[in-house]
Amino acid sequence: MNTYIWLFLLFGACFGTLSFTHRHLFSEGPQTAASSAPTTLGSRLFWVMVCTFLWPIMLLTGLNSALILAKRKSSQSSSAR
């Protein structure tokens, strides 16, 4: 059982590390990571800690945001024609 827990936490830490630059997809606002607060070691560490324990929820919210942005982009491109 401990192996599954360690794999869960390891995957979450990797997910947090890789998704840090795209963290705007996991929030409720349209701001991108570049327009948010400057990146510090503390903010990166906090993001990785949150994702370590909550990565399934973060994954679902990120997929939902990506789907919404894709629909918005396709509707804008179809209305531009």
Side-chain angles (χ1 to χ4, degrees), residues 9-26 33 44-45 47-49 51-52 55 58-59:
L9 295 175
L10 179 66
F11 183 80
C14 292
F15 177 78
T17 303
L18 295 174
S19 66
F20 180 75
T21 57
H22 303 289
R23 65 189 183 276
H24 61 281
L25 293 176
F26 304 96
R44 184 177 293 270
L45 184 62
W47 178 258
V48 170
M49 287 185 346
C51 287
T52 297
W55 69 263
M58 301 298 279
L59 184 65

Side-chain angles (χ1 to χ4, degrees), residues 3 6-7 12-13 25-26 29 35 38 43 48 54 56 61 68-69 73:
T3 304
W6 284 113
L7 288 175
L25 293 176
F26 304 96
S35 64
S43 64
V48 170
L54 300 177
T61 58
I68 290 170
L69 291 174
K73 188 175 183 179

